[in-house]
Amino acid sequence: MKRRRFFLLIGGSLLLLFLACLLSLGLGGVKVAFSDVFSSLLSFLKNGEARGTSGVIVIEIRLSRVLLAAMVGAALSLAGGIYQSLIRNPLGDPYILGVSSGAVLGSIIGISLGMGATLIGSEFFAFAGGTIAIIIVYLVAKRGGRMSTVRLILAGVIVSSFFSAAAMLLFSLSPSSTVKGMLFWMMGDLSSQSLDTVLTTIPYFLLLIIPVFLLSRPLSLMMVGEESALSLGVDVERIKKISFLLASLLTGFSVSLAGAIGFVGLIIPNIVRYLAGADTRIGFPLSAIAGAIFLILSDTLARSVMAPTELPVGVITAGVGGPFFIFLLLRRLRDELGD
């Protein structure tokens, strides 16, 4: 891809992300004029505090949600892009491979034990659950030092089903005082983190996504063929292990902060691949930006469509992702059957 086209695509995407942020800061149960959104942001950047009613709404209520949606959307999109590159299958997704279900189960166990109420506690249990899930999937799928694509997908579906059933069991046995929190955890919630908490997670987010971009070249070569990648000096098995670890960490990071938000990792990488091609060197940056835009707009719709009642953002992403998943599945079956 020519450098000029690369920068045009990235620049255009960043402009759309900026506009999505402004739209999300202005819309909701209470509408705020864009001039007030700008003045609130400038005042916050200058003085470090929100002023007036508009400032409180924009800075103290919505800014944390916009930043969190951007990070979670980007992280889930990158995780989905990594899985799809590794297994060379458009249906590869953190949820299909069981990582998200493991992270959710870990979070619910933490809540049940009374140890997941804090951010550190929820992060620990989400990371632990997601890590256990991907280790089980990896061990089941690996035979003779190599991982079969078919075994990997089947193992992910089985592990995801088992962990989801265990999470539902704990959900049904839990006291009513913790049910609401668990329900939002299972359906996705971007409203529970403060602005200070979100700001402190940005460095961790950057530490996770930078290695993904460094892996884009070997992953792009592996998508052409593992033998071709080996001939060009790529350590295929090592790249696989590092990539799976990064994708799992990105998923655990997202679940620990916002619960289970499905289909972002399925929808965005496929759309980006259709529009920009299979080269992950451009696909990964675009997926991160597009994932951020998608989740910001989904959250804006979730808190606007039935205001003042707020929908879990996972309902919106599932409403878009469900039909998209069926479309991909039918197209995949049609290609395999040669119809």
Side-chain angles (χ1 to χ4, degrees), residues 115-125:
M115 302 170 66
T118 64
L119 178 62
I120 294 177
S122 62
E123 283 184 344
F124 171 78
F125 282 99

Side-chain angles (χ1 to χ4, degrees), residues 81-262:
I82 292 173
Y83 287 129
Q84 290 168 23
S85 299
L86 285 172
I87 65 178
R88 284 181 284 175
N89 190 312
L91 299 177
D93 177 80
Y95 292 81
I96 294 175
L97 296 178
V99 184
S100 295
S101 297
V104 168
L105 177 60
S107 300
I108 291 180
I109 290 174
I111 294 173
S112 300
L113 297 175
M115 302 170 66
T118 64
L119 178 62
I120 294 177
S122 62
E123 283 184 344
F124 171 78
F125 282 99
F127 273 111
T131 302
I132 292 172
I134 195 59
I135 288 175
I136 295 174
V137 170
Y138 181 80
L139 293 176
V140 172
K142 188 177 180 182
R143 289 290 184 277
R146 301 178 68 86
M147 283 186 290
S148 161
T149 296
V150 175
R151 283 200 300 267
L152 191 65
I153 293 177
L154 289 176
V157 170
I158 294 170
V159 169
S160 179
S161 300
F162 177 78
F163 277 53
S164 296
M168 290 303 297
L169 176 63
L170 288 177
F171 178 77
S172 64
L173 297 176
S174 298
S176 57
S177 59
T178 60
V179 165
K180 185 177 180 181
M182 289 183 178
L183 183 62
F184 267 83
W185 205 269
M186 296 178 71
M187 302 181 71
D189 179 20
L190 294 168
S191 66
S192 58
Q193 307 296 345
S194 67
L195 180 58
D196 289 340
T197 300
V198 173
L199 292 176
T200 58
T201 59
I202 291 177
Y204 300 103
F205 169 72
L206 295 176
L207 285 176
L208 287 176
I209 66 168
I210 290 174
V212 177
F213 299 139
L214 298 178
L215 288 173
S216 60
R217 181 180 179 276
L219 282 176
S220 186
L221 294 174
M222 288 167 59
M223 288 187 67
V224 177
E226 292 186 5
E227 294 183 357
S228 300
L230 280 169
S231 66
L232 293 173
V234 176
D235 189 339
V236 172
E237 292 304 317
R238 185 180 181 187
I239 294 296
K240 280 183 178 179
K241 293 176 182 176
I242 296 174
S243 300
F244 268 111
L245 176 63
L246 278 175
S248 304
L249 288 173
L250 286 167
T251 305
F253 172 83
S254 302
V255 172
S256 68
L257 288 172
I261 300 175

